[in-house]
Amino acid sequence: MRELMERYQRPLMKLAMNMLDSEEDARECVNDTFYEVWKSVPDNRPQYLFAYSATICRHIICKRIDYDNALKRSSNVIELTAEMEQCIGKPDKALEGDEHMVGELINTFLKTLDTDKRNIFIKRYWYSQPVKVISKELGKSESSVKVALHRLRKDLKKLLESEGVLV
């Protein structure tokens, strides 16, 4: 457990801080993540421990946001939601039960992308990183990252529409 914490504390905190406005809340979510991983790993034995931990952390963060009703206060989450609504649409009853299918289609979409575009998409929509941070990490201009994200959302929307997902 100590090794898990030493190895993943920093990247999980970064993930939590990208989604939450409070360092205290982020730290609490990361600690809850370690507890949940500790409880579940012996049964699950994940192949990729960081991805497994990050998924748990994101679920805990989303529950925190819902609980605190923080969508009104968290501009980053509102911005990301608005961006993804361009290709997936607003959640409604029509998509209920199709979440798994949408997830599979997004995975299929990501597999078709080159590494650079996939990194941009994942950094923005999985790790909730601001465009400024992505551009700095990848050595690109902010405008090129914004254009890439716009085109990726447009391409994802086309794929979803071609598969019959209401958008």
Side-chain angles (χ1 to χ4, degrees):
M1 188 63 175
R2 185 177 311 135
E3 185 176 336
L4 175 75
M5 292 174 76
E6 288 172 8
R7 193 168 191 182
Y8 298 134
Q9 176 109 24
R10 185 170 285 137
L12 290 175
M13 269 302 286
K14 188 175 178 182
L15 170 65
M17 287 300 296
N18 286 338
M19 296 179 74
L20 297 168
D21 295 329
S22 162
E23 185 175 340
E24 184 178 319
D25 289 346
R27 195 175 317 279
E28 188 174 321
C29 287
V30 170
N31 287 336
D32 290 348
T33 299
F34 290 133
Y35 176 70
E36 291 300 322
V37 169
W38 174 256
K39 285 187 345 186
S40 64
V41 164
D43 295 333
N44 292 333
R45 297 202 184 271
Q47 184 175 2
Y48 302 104
L49 188 56
F50 177 71
Y52 181 78
S53 301
T55 300
I56 290 173
C57 190
R58 282 181 56 84
H59 288 297
I60 291 170
I61 291 166
C62 289
K63 285 181 186 176
R64 167 63 67 137
I65 291 170
D66 287 344
Y67 178 78
D68 291 345
N69 205 10
L71 287 176
K72 295 174 192 160
R73 296 188 310 256
S74 180
S75 61
N76 190 33
V77 172
I78 291 170
E79 180 182 350
L80 289 171
T81 302
E83 286 177 20
M84 287 308 288
E85 281 178 356
Q86 292 175 13
C87 52
I88 296 177
K90 291 186 179 186
D92 62 8
K93 302 248 183 212
L95 281 178
E96 274 185 25
D98 288 338
E99 298 91 355
H100 182 71
M101 182 182 73
V102 172
E104 290 299 318
L105 288 171
I106 291 172
N107 283 336
T108 300
F109 172 71
L110 289 172
K111 289 175 185 174
T112 66
L113 301 177
D114 63 51
T115 305
D116 202 36
K117 289 178 183 174
R118 185 175 30 235
N119 282 337
I120 290 171
F121 189 93
I122 291 172
K123 286 176 180 291
R124 182 67 176 151
Y125 300 116
W126 176 257
Y127 291 108
S128 305
Q129 289 184 342
V131 170
K132 182 182 257 183
V133 172
I134 296 169
S135 65
K136 186 175 180 181
E137 285 183 3
L138 299 178
K140 298 184 174 295
S141 70
E142 286 185 46
S143 62
S144 68
V145 171
K146 287 178 183 178
V147 167
L149 286 167
H150 174 75
R151 289 179 180 157
L152 289 167
R153 288 190 306 270
K154 190 173 154 184
D155 292 344
L156 177 59
K157 181 177 182 172
K158 282 181 190 174
L159 172 71
L160 293 173
E161 285 176 337
S162 73
E163 294 295 326
V165 175
L166 297 174
V167 286

